[in-house]
């Protein structure tokens, strides 16, 4: 799709290059999503091979990040983009950093899953982790969808979701603490569990970042570290005077 | 010439001649013809003007009349207009019916152009893929369906008919996606909900894996005691033979359980990464050594290495491919027969062939010998220690290495099992 914000270039090649860049980012996103899915499944299924596979294949994501980064630099140098195009490239550079971090966290989860799978104990279903994992998977998926559709409303919804993820994380932490106090022999395992929860919570933050970049891309407003009410007001005001695009 | 034209031409000709005659009376022949000619021209122009207005506005419903050639012209246009209108109506109805039927279709369909941009989709596709109404037209499909397997398939379908991927709309839904190119520029993406099938397969796989796993521990205990009993001097001689049989059978059972476990692992079907180099020569040598250690084996087991190339993949799995093929050949080849293990590389890729001069396989059995527990000749293989799973393991292990198994065989003359590895699985030194 040639999105309206960068559809009117004299150079059609530039359009194609930007379009390709977008697709590459989403391809990387797809790979990261798959790693996260596998990592979460490794936890719930108690499959150590699966977990190790994720942690061993992290280099694929890193390689993609380097390639896309290089492509961005080339575009900046040769095309000297302005306005919406510049925002897209800046946004891409930030997004791939976040995606790469998500990949790292997924690798960490995979590694911890292989740990958790080895000591078989009755408490092995990890339902809370599964719920948190699914929540975070959905956030990442929606953030990337919002990027591919350039949909601000969906992006704002993702940002809102992050609060719920934080709450779930707090709950798991509290639960782990009380279980550790009950039986000191389980401390090691629940340390691992809380590390997994921590990694998932971080992935939620990265998904939120990506959603914020989408708002920045479409409206040209930086909404990081801003209260939701202020953001909504600002966006309402911005509807009248959209930033010069193109 | 149609009658109307003869009539018109003669009428106009007559009018011109009459004009000329009247002019002649007043000694102005040319002027007479000219006046009548101009009058006729004006009349034609007027009719032409009415025709143009009629066609342009389309408001005037009745046929403008005229004379000479005009009435038939008007009538014909009227007729064509009506036909076009009726045809348009028919087409609109047809399109509506077609759309209604594609909407009712239980499988999803997405029409893509050559750049993978979504042109159109039906209701089922919208639900299965979580597309947004209207807004997602023009979006590239891989931007929304980011699952790596799908993106690979889209860019390079290769020989694959379809891929199974989790639905981007979330949940436990699995979709089978199939790409059908049509016309020069477009393709149809067919999407079918296969969650049920995937779920059943998983349940079956898990069951086999769990059952085998659970069977292993009691079996170990039984085998331990049997070993102890066999070595105990206090056991009466009459029991020596039954205990020996029990030992043999429990060894067979353990092998069966191990094969089942291995098979359930291999069945997951994911392609093995290409990051390990596996030494083909060493692998073949190991398989030969194993075969020679069997109690009964053919005298001659030859190795023909025609290429120094190695393979990329998982060593244990490839080793079990070669070992199973060789063990299979040994099982069906008489002691005076011959077995040849051959490794060749050509433009298509690598070929690992295991050829024997054994009993061979009947033609109708060839497609079925890789099925689990399928036996071409009832009891024979069982006596010789086969589990019935060897070739199934070979098939699945090869599939994980993007390779294919080809079986050539003639009853009584021997069989050749060839594994065809694609070029990108080769490590050419």
């Amino acid at each position: 799709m040639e999105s309206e914000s960068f559809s009117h270039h004299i150079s059609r090649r530039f359009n194609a290059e930007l379009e390709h860049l977008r697709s590459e980012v989403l391809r990387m996103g797809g790979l990261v999503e798959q790693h996260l899915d596998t990592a979460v499944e490794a936890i719930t299924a108690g499959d150590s091979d699966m977990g190790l596979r994720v942690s061993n294949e992290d280099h694929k994501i890193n390689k993609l990040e380097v390639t896309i980064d290089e492509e961005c630099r080339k575009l900046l140098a040769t095309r000297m983009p302005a306005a919406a195009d510049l925002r897209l490239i800046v946004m891409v550079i930030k997004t791939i950093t976040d995606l790469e971090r998500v990949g790292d966290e997924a690798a960490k989860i995979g590694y911890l899953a292989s740990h958790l799978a080895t000591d078989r104990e009755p408490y092995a279903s990890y339902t809370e982790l599964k719920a948190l994992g699914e929540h975070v998977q959905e956030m990442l998926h929606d953030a990337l969808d919002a990027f591919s559709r350039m949909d601000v409303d969906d992006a704002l919804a993702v940002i809102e979701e992050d609060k719920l993820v934080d709450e779930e994380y707090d709950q798991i932490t509290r639960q782990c603490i009380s279980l550790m106090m009950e039986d000191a022999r389980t401390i090691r395992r629940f340390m691992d569990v809380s590390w997994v929860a921590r990694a998932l919570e971080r992935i939620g933050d990265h998904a939120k970042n990506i959603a914020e970049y989408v708002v920045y891309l479409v409206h040209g407003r930086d909404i990081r570290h801003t209260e939701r009410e202020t953001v909504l007001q600002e966006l309402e005001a911005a509807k009248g005077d959209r930033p010069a695009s193109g | 010439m149609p009658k109307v034209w003869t009539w018109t031409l003669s009428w106009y000709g007559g009018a011109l001649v009459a004009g000329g005659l009247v002019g002649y009376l007043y000694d102005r022949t040319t002027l007479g013809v000219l006046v009548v000619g101009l009058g006729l021209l004006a009349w034609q122009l007027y009719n032409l003007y009415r025709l143009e207005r009629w066609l342009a506005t389309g408001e005037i419903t009745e046929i403008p009349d005229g004379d000479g050639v005009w009435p038939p012209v008007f009538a014909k246009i009227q007729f064509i207009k009506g036909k076009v209108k009726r045809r348009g109506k028919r087409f609109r109805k047809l399109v509506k019916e077609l759309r209604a039927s594609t909407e009712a279709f239980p499988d999803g369909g997405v029409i893509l152009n050559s750049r993978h941009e979504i042109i159109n989709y039906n209701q089922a596709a919208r639900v299965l893929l979580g597309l947004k109404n209207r807004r997602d037209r023009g979006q590239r499909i891989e931007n929304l369906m980011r699952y790596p397997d799908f993106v690979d398939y889209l860019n390079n379908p290769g020989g694959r008919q379809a891929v199974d991927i989790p639905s981007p709309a979330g949940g436990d839904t699995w979709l089978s996606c199939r790409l059908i190119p049509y016309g020069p520029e477009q393709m149809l993406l067919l999407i079918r909900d296969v969650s049920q099938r995937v779920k059943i397969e998983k349940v079956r796989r898990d069951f086999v894996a769990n059952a085998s796993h659970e069977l292993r521990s009691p079996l170990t205990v039984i085998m331990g005691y049997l070993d102890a009993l066999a070595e105990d001097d206090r056991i009466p001689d009459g029991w020596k033979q039954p205990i020996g049989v029990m030992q043999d059978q429990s060894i067979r059972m353990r092998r069966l359980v191990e094969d089942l476990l291995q098979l359930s692992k291999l069945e997951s079907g994911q392609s093995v990464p290409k990051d390990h180099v596996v030494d083909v020569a060493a692998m073949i040598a190991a398989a030969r050594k194993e075969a020679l250690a069997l109690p009964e084996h053919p005298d001659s087991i030859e190795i023909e290495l025609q290429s120094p190339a190695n393979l990329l993949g998982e060593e244990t799995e490839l080793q079990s491919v070669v070992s199973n093929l060789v063990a299979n050949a040994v099982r069906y080849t008489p002691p005076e027969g011959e077995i040849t293990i051959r490794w060749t590389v050509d433009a298509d890729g690598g070929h690992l062939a295991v050829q024997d001069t054994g009993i061979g396989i009947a033609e109708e059995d060839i497609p079925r010998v890789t099925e689990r527990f399928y036996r071409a000749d009832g009891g024979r293989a069982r006596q010789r220690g086969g589990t019935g799973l060897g070739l199934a393991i070979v098939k699945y292990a090869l599939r994980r290495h993007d390779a294919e198994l080809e079986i050539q065989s003639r009853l009584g003359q021997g069989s050749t099992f060839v594994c065809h590895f694609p070029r990108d699985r080769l490590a050419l030194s």
Side-chain angles (χ1 to χ4, degrees):
Chain A
M1 179 178 71
E2 298 194 339
S3 300
E4 38 192 308
S5 47
F6 51 90
S7 63
H8 36 58
H9 280 287
I10 300 164
S11 161
R12 287 187 63 181
R13 283 244 341 248
F14 187 26
N15 264 346
E17 282 166 355
L18 288 176
E19 197 48 56
H20 178 252
L21 186 66
R22 241 162 64 87
S23 283
E24 282 293 294
V25 174
L26 287 163
R27 190 163 74 93
M28 177 177 175
L31 194 63
V32 172
E33 274 183 86
Q34 190 199 26
H35 276 213
L36 177 58
D37 290 1
T38 321
V40 171
E41 178 154 8
I43 292 274
T44 48
D47 189 331
S48 61
D49 285 353
M50 207 188 256
L52 284 177
R53 204 165 62 224
V54 179
S55 67
N56 288 338
E57 288 192 359
D58 190 41
H59 63 271
K60 282 189 191 166
I61 295 174
N62 298 344
K63 215 167 111 188
L64 260 177
E65 191 206 359
V66 174
T67 334
I68 298 174
D69 204 38
E70 178 69 37
E71 210 170 310
C72 285
R73 253 180 298 151
K74 225 181 259 168
L75 281 178
L76 280 178
T78 55
R79 300 288 182 177
M80 285 184 273
D85 307 326
L86 181 61
R87 286 209 301 277
L88 176 75
I89 294 176
V90 169
M91 186 257 183
V92 165
I93 295 175
K94 289 182 166 191
T95 303
I96 54 175
T97 314
D98 276 287
L99 284 176
E100 192 268 330
R101 299 244 170 92
V102 174
D104 288 349
E105 301 287 350
K108 199 193 284 170
I109 295 173
Y111 177 72
L112 289 167
S114 72
H115 255 227
L116 285 170
T118 46
D119 66 352
R120 280 224 173 235
E121 288 280 316
Y123 187 90
S125 59
Y126 303 119
T127 0
E128 294 82 4
L129 281 186
K130 191 180 177 199
L132 179 61
E134 276 168 7
H135 206 154
V136 168
Q137 282 168 319
E138 204 182 296
M139 267 182 82
L140 181 63
H141 187 85
D142 290 351
L144 290 169
D145 271 0
F147 173 47
S148 67
R149 293 182 172 125
M150 305 259 195
D151 190 321
V152 176
D153 292 338
D154 287 358
L156 289 173
V158 172
I159 296 170
E160 201 51 12
E161 280 297 298
D162 191 47
K163 279 184 196 150
L164 295 177
V165 167
D166 288 351
E167 273 170 31
E168 274 179 61
Y169 167 65
D170 276 348
Q171 248 166 21
I172 292 181
T173 316
R174 271 201 299 275
Q175 210 178 354
C176 281
I177 292 173
S178 62
L179 283 163
M180 284 186 218
M181 286 196 299
E182 254 172 46
D183 184 352
R185 283 170 303 176
T186 59
I187 288 182
R188 211 188 133 72
R189 176 143 43 96
F190 287 112
M191 286 283 282
D192 283 350
V193 170
S194 67
W195 274 112
V196 173
R198 171 80 185 151
L200 288 172
E201 189 265 340
R202 290 297 304 153
I203 293 174
D205 289 347
H206 291 302
K208 180 184 165 201
N209 287 347
I210 294 172
E212 283 168 349
Y213 305 150
V214 172
V215 178
Y216 167 74
L217 173 62
V218 178
H219 283 299
R221 286 274 194 285
D222 194 339
I223 60 162
R224 285 175 299 173
H225 320 298
T226 318
E227 284 304 311
R228 179 178 157 79
E229 297 311 313
T230 332
V231 170
L232 287 179
Q233 275 170 19
E234 264 196 40
L235 288 184
E236 202 57 45
K239 268 184 191 157
D241 52 33
R242 277 206 163 192
S245 53
Chain B
M1 205 187 273
K3 209 168 139 195
V4 61
W5 280 103
T6 354
W7 188 83
T8 310
L9 282 181
S10 46
W11 203 89
Y12 284 14
L16 283 173
V17 169
L21 279 178
V22 172
Y24 180 73
L25 287 181
Y26 294 93
D27 210 17
R28 292 277 195 281
T29 321
T30 333
L31 189 67
V33 173
L34 209 65
V35 166
V36 173
L38 277 176
L40 286 174
L41 191 64
W43 175 240
Q44 301 304 334
L45 273 177
Y46 172 64
N47 275 326
L48 202 59
Y49 165 77
R50 288 206 304 170
L51 176 66
E52 191 272 334
R53 282 292 86 199
W54 182 52
L55 288 177
T57 59
E59 280 166 2
I60 306 154
T61 43
E62 88 278 14
I63 310 167
D65 41 54
D67 68 349
V69 288
W70 291 105
V73 168
F74 283 134
K76 262 179 198 137
I77 291 177
Q78 172 84 340
F79 177 69
I80 292 169
K81 251 186 148 180
K83 212 160 90 178
V84 166
K85 209 169 162 185
R86 278 195 302 278
R87 193 181 288 166
K89 228 176 183 169
R90 223 167 47 226
F91 271 127
R92 270 197 296 280
K93 204 174 149 216
L94 197 68
V95 167
K96 221 169 152 184
E97 279 169 4
L98 267 178
R99 181 165 291 175
S101 68
T102 53
E103 288 296 306
F105 214 54
D107 291 346
V110 182
I111 298 173
L112 304 172
N113 66 12
S114 56
R115 291 168 58 194
H116 304 158
E117 289 164 357
I118 300 172
I119 294 173
N120 214 335
Y121 49 83
N122 67 358
Q123 167 75 12
R126 196 172 69 80
V127 175
L128 289 173
L129 301 181
L131 295 175
K132 293 208 169 180
N133 246 343
R134 289 172 196 285
R135 300 233 341 248
D136 285 336
R137 293 209 181 133
Q139 179 83 257
R140 283 168 96 163
I141 186 94
E142 66 255 52
N143 286 357
L144 295 172
M145 294 175 73
R146 296 179 291 265
Y147 201 76
D149 277 358
F150 175 74
V151 179
D152 277 356
Y153 173 65
L154 194 65
N155 292 322
N156 178 25
R160 282 176 294 177
Q161 283 274 332
V163 285
D164 289 353
I165 57 158
S167 164
D172 284 335
T173 317
W174 277 77
L175 305 175
S176 162
C177 301
R178 184 172 177 191
L179 214 52
I180 305 161
Y182 70 93
E185 289 284 284
Q186 298 200 330
M187 45 200 159
L188 175 67
L189 177 67
L190 265 187
I191 300 145
R192 177 170 294 178
D193 186 342
V194 289
S195 323
Q196 204 62 24
R197 193 191 80 202
V198 171
K199 207 167 134 191
I200 290 171
E201 265 172 31
K202 189 176 177 324
V203 168
R204 185 183 59 79
R205 244 191 349 254
D206 287 355
F207 171 76
V208 173
N210 288 335
S212 330
H213 198 82
E214 296 299 325
L215 281 172
R216 205 153 55 167
S217 357
L219 206 56
T220 314
V221 177
I222 293 174
M223 286 178 73
Y225 280 114
L226 281 174
D227 283 348
L229 281 177
E231 278 160 25
D232 198 324
D233 297 333
R234 287 168 299 173
I235 296 292
D237 279 353
W239 280 102
K240 287 261 147 82
Q241 205 234 344
I243 288 175
V245 173
M246 283 198 272
Q247 267 182 311
D248 287 349
Q249 291 301 316
S250 51
I251 289 171
R252 222 191 97 211
M253 205 155 146
R254 191 185 56 189
R255 210 157 43 215
L256 198 63
V257 165
E258 270 160 12
D259 278 2
L260 274 174
L261 262 177
Q262 194 187 0
L263 196 58
S264 71
K265 230 179 239 167
L266 292 175
E267 262 184 325
S268 65
Q270 273 157 335
S271 191
V272 171
K274 296 170 188 157
D275 41 11
H276 287 289
V277 178
V278 180
D279 187 342
V280 174
M283 206 163 67
I284 294 177
R288 180 173 184 267
K289 212 170 147 191
E290 277 171 34
L292 291 175
L294 290 173
E296 284 178 54
H297 60 79
D299 295 334
S300 148
I301 301 182
E302 297 294 328
I303 296 179
E304 284 180 27
L305 275 178
Q306 295 177 5
S307 166
N310 287 322
L311 283 168
L312 295 173
E314 184 70 48
E315 178 156 10
T316 47
E317 290 178 20
L318 289 172
Q319 179 70 62
S320 93
V321 168
V322 186
S323 299
N324 268 308
L325 286 178
V326 173
N328 202 53
V330 168
R331 213 167 289 140
Y332 293 99
T333 309
E336 62 278 12
E338 273 175 31
I339 294 177
T340 313
I341 312 168
R342 197 177 298 118
W343 171 238
T344 51
V345 170
D346 61 18
D348 298 332
H351 312 278
L352 182 83
V354 178
Q355 188 175 4
D356 64 49
T357 56
I359 58 166
I361 309 166
E363 205 178 326
E364 65 269 24
D365 287 328
I366 290 181
R368 298 197 59 193
V369 290
T370 55
E371 287 174 18
R372 290 179 201 91
F373 300 117
Y374 185 80
R375 292 181 192 278
D377 71 328
R380 202 186 141 151
R382 205 165 297 137
Q383 289 163 19
R384 315 199 107 222
T387 59
L389 293 171
L391 288 180
I393 289 176
V394 168
K395 183 171 88 174
Y396 283 108
L398 286 179
R399 189 198 279 178
R400 277 162 61 87
H401 288 82
D402 317 314
E404 271 172 48
L405 180 67
E406 186 199 346
I407 305 171
Q408 308 152 352
S409 188
R410 271 251 184 95
L411 260 185
Q413 295 184 11
S415 322
T416 308
F417 290 78
V418 193
C419 314
H420 298 287
F421 291 91
R423 264 202 97 75
D424 58 357
R425 279 282 172 191
L426 296 180
L428 304 157
S429 41

